[in-house]
Amino acid sequence: MEPADRPASDQALPSPTAAALPVALPRFKISFRLSLLAVSLITVIVTAAAVHLPWIWISRTNVVEMAVQLNTEIIGGIGREIDQLFRTAEATQDSVQEVFQTGTVILEDRKRRDQFMFSVLRANPHFSWVSLGMPNGDFFGAQRRDERTFRIAESLWDDKAKMATRKEDYYVADEHKVYFTQSKTKTNDYYSVTRQWYQRAVTNPGTHIWTDVYIFANSGKPGINTAVTFERDGQLTGVVSIAIELERISRYLRQLHIAENGVAFIIDRAGRMIAFKDPNEVARIGEGDSGGALKDISESHYPALRIAREAVEDNRFTWSEVTETRQLQYRWGANGERYFVTLAPAGQLDWVIGTVIPEADFLTGVEQNQKRLAFIVLGVIAFVMALSMVVARWLFIAPLGRMIDQTHLIERFELDAVQPVPSRVRELDSLATALQQMSLGLSAFRKYIATDLVRGLLDRGVEAKLGGERRTLTVLFMDLANFTTMTERLGHRILPFLARYLGEMSGIIMARRGTIDKFIGDAVMAFWGAPTWNQDHAADACRSALACKAAMEAIRAELKRDGRPDLFVRIGVNTGRVVVGNIGSEERLDYTVIGDPVNLASRLEGMNKEYGTQIIIGHNTYEEAKYDIVARRLDAVTVKGREEPVFIYELLEMADPVKEIVRPDWVLAYEAGLDAFNGREWTRALEHFRRAIDLRGADAPSEAMIRRCEAALPRAIREGDLAA
């Protein structure tokens, strides 16, 4: 409360107190400001001289030396890695050249040719392609698509049609075996004779050539080729080529540990990115018919690359002038943090290797020096503290301690216990008087506000804020059927089972990027896509639902052996636009979701009982995940609050990621019956539903629909419906 706002009686209190002070205390007073300044100045000067002067000298020397040494080692390691990669490619290329040139493997023997190139590719994990280009435009090759999938390509050029017939065989490999997955045949205009690697190799016969970095036609990723010709009987037979995607070099840089926050990059002398831990900073994806291109370092907003670029510009040279190792220091950012930038030629092609490491990372390397200084600092501080305490205790510490006790009383609103604390220091005496007046002011103030309320506000600290955002998420509700019966039989002994059930279901959901919202008895509510965004939220929710169902099957088997009631899960999954965030009251908040899609997910869970199913998903979920799941259209139902019917689906299984989705015949029969039912063709619908049961053996939804058809059939006949 400001003095001008206080009552007149309160404002008049300091005058008599101030008048009495000269009588109670000695006339002479020592300035608190001067006393504290003198003690603080002695402490700061001695401590700063003991700590900072030797520390600055030692730390600066150590940091620079470590930066030079570490950067040199990193640059050398990257250079050796690139050199080894290039040498391995050329050596492998020599082996392939010799095999085909000597006839060890006949080009026309497709099986042996493909097996040989495939084995070469698998033996060299850094290679993306091992291929042959023929003078007539034919092309044969083996490609590594990722760590497990491969492709064998045979492209035969038709000179009349100016098109190539391309056959591709796809394989998946693990540590032990290789599995064939599928074959594809298509036509394109790929003519190997016009490729850069082929033309350079033919121009320089018998010599290993390296192409410029370019965007690969098949993968759309930037890469580089090495190629060499091979001959038979003095005639050009073909060109052996090995391709390396730059992303593989970027992966090596990503795995490279450079201090705590350092990064490395590779760039050509024109300023174009060659490799970086984030491949998106290397190449620009093409749009329309454009094939993409390498990014210039000036396009990047990545902090480390900006620092490197600005350091080069600040030192007034260009990338093409990096012919030897250069060590740069550059200050960057709002606080002017220092960074060490090292640039060196890669030794291959016209590439430059660069590293950017914050100075802060090297400070962890001077811990040994800190230990050496600790003994000096502690000794000086101990001496200064002893001297300061002797002088300051009498003047400052004792009265300040008593004042602190008084402030604690004020903090606890024990205002009646506050007493004046006289001091020989003028400023401390004024402070004691102010504390006394504060307690008197608060004593009057508490007549207007409850003391308990003020204490509660102080204890609570920062308030939690209500709020949320609209986002498209997938929500799951799961409940146990027959759980009430089991609870009545077991009583409190149900708790261990419930803990196991909820633990397993929670683990499955969280392992698939789900967020547990709440438990309501045996029911579980979860959602996907928040707080961390997940574009596959619908597929992950379906995957979790199937996993929960499978886990419950194992639990059911145990319950059956123990003679307990049969339990199974009912799950509803729905996707839609909801509000997610901190929702609740000022006293309690939950991170949860609300909205109509949430209510529909809960209703879908309950609909399982009507159809005899275990997992029902909404139409939006099906549309989001239909390429990842196998499901059947179950029905179109009218939901409270909606005029239009809502399509619902039974989730059957996850789709094979490498095969086309093929739905079982019984699903097709059921959906045909559903279409007939919706068209009021009762007899035809019955035939389809009964066929679905015959094909599957037993199908609860078909049985439910049969009962609905049989109930509708007599009524339709009575009403004269010809479709019946």
Side-chain angles (χ1 to χ4, degrees), residues 66 70 85 102 158 282 315 496 607 719:
M66 285 190 299
L70 180 60
L85 179 61
T102 59
D158 185 343
V282 175
N315 284 270
M607 290 181 187
E719 295 174 358

Side-chain angles (χ1 to χ4, degrees), residues 316-608:
R316 300 180 183 279
F317 67 92
T318 63
W319 302 104
S320 61
E321 298 176 57
V322 182
T323 57
E324 60 182 6
T325 301
R326 293 200 181 202
Q327 301 281 353
L328 308 176
Q329 297 180 25
Y330 187 70
R331 292 192 179 275
W332 190 80
N335 298 324
E337 293 92 348
R338 186 164 64 160
Y339 291 82
F340 295 100
V341 180
T342 303
L343 305 172
Q348 293 288 347
L349 303 180
D350 61 346
W351 294 358
V352 174
I353 303 173
T355 59
V356 179
I357 307 178
E359 181 186 34
D361 286 1
F362 292 105
L363 294 179
T364 57
V366 298
E367 292 181 354
Q368 189 64 34
N369 291 334
Q370 286 180 316
K371 293 179 181 179
R372 295 173 186 171
L373 292 174
F375 295 103
I376 301 173
V377 174
L378 289 175
V380 174
I381 291 177
F383 172 76
V384 173
M385 288 182 62
L387 179 63
S388 300
M389 288 298 296
V390 171
V391 176
R393 182 174 181 80
W394 178 62
L395 292 176
F396 309 122
I397 296 177
L400 282 174
R402 291 193 295 273
M403 291 182 193
I404 291 173
D405 293 338
Q406 301 306 305
T407 58
H408 287 324
L409 293 174
I410 296 174
E411 180 184 13
R412 297 192 298 270
F413 282 82
E414 298 176 6
L415 304 177
D416 296 334
V418 176
Q419 300 294 329
V421 181
S423 173
R424 296 180 183 274
V425 181
R426 183 183 299 113
E427 288 81 0
L428 292 183
D429 186 70
S430 298
L431 179 60
T433 302
L435 289 175
Q436 183 70 15
Q437 297 305 316
M438 182 188 298
S439 67
L440 293 175
L442 290 174
S443 295
F445 187 65
R446 68 179 180 179
K447 296 179 181 179
Y448 301 95
I449 298 178
T451 302
D452 291 339
L453 176 60
V454 177
R455 289 196 188 109
L457 293 173
L458 293 174
D459 293 339
R460 190 175 303 148
V462 180
E463 291 185 348
K465 299 294 184 182
L466 290 167
E469 60 176 325
R470 294 191 63 82
R471 188 183 289 186
T472 300
L473 306 179
T474 298
V475 184
L476 175 147
F477 279 87
M478 176 166 53
D479 201 358
L480 278 176
N482 297 334
F483 183 73
T484 303
T485 302
M486 188 171 181
T487 303
E488 292 173 351
R489 290 181 55 179
L490 297 181
H492 69 277
R493 292 175 297 171
I494 195 67
L495 294 179
F497 166 79
L498 187 60
R500 175 190 173 187
Y501 159 72
L502 294 177
E504 288 195 22
M505 301 302 111
S506 300
I508 290 171
I509 291 171
M510 290 187 292
R512 289 158 180 82
R513 300 186 286 184
T515 299
I516 301 294
D517 186 299
K518 60 177 67 73
F519 301 117
I520 309 172
D522 61 304
V524 180
M525 177 183 172
F527 54 88
W528 281 257
T532 301
W533 172 244
N534 170 14
Q535 65 179 1
D536 297 323
H537 53 88
D540 283 345
C542 293
R543 195 173 287 108
S544 299
L546 289 169
C548 289
K549 175 184 174 183
M552 193 60 205
E553 291 299 324
I555 297 176
R556 289 179 67 189
E558 296 181 16
L559 295 175
K560 186 176 181 180
R561 288 196 301 269
D562 296 340
R564 294 182 178 179
D566 186 25
L567 297 179
F568 58 90
V569 292
R570 294 191 181 113
I571 301 173
V573 182
N574 190 42
T575 301
R577 194 80 168 164
V578 299
V579 175
V580 57
N582 293 321
I583 298 171
S585 67
E586 293 293 338
E587 299 298 327
R588 178 168 179 173
L589 299 173
D590 283 333
Y591 189 78
T592 186
V593 292
I594 59 174
D596 185 60
V598 180
N599 301 331
L600 181 56
S602 176
R603 292 170 183 170
L604 293 179
E605 181 270 318
M607 290 181 187
N608 282 289

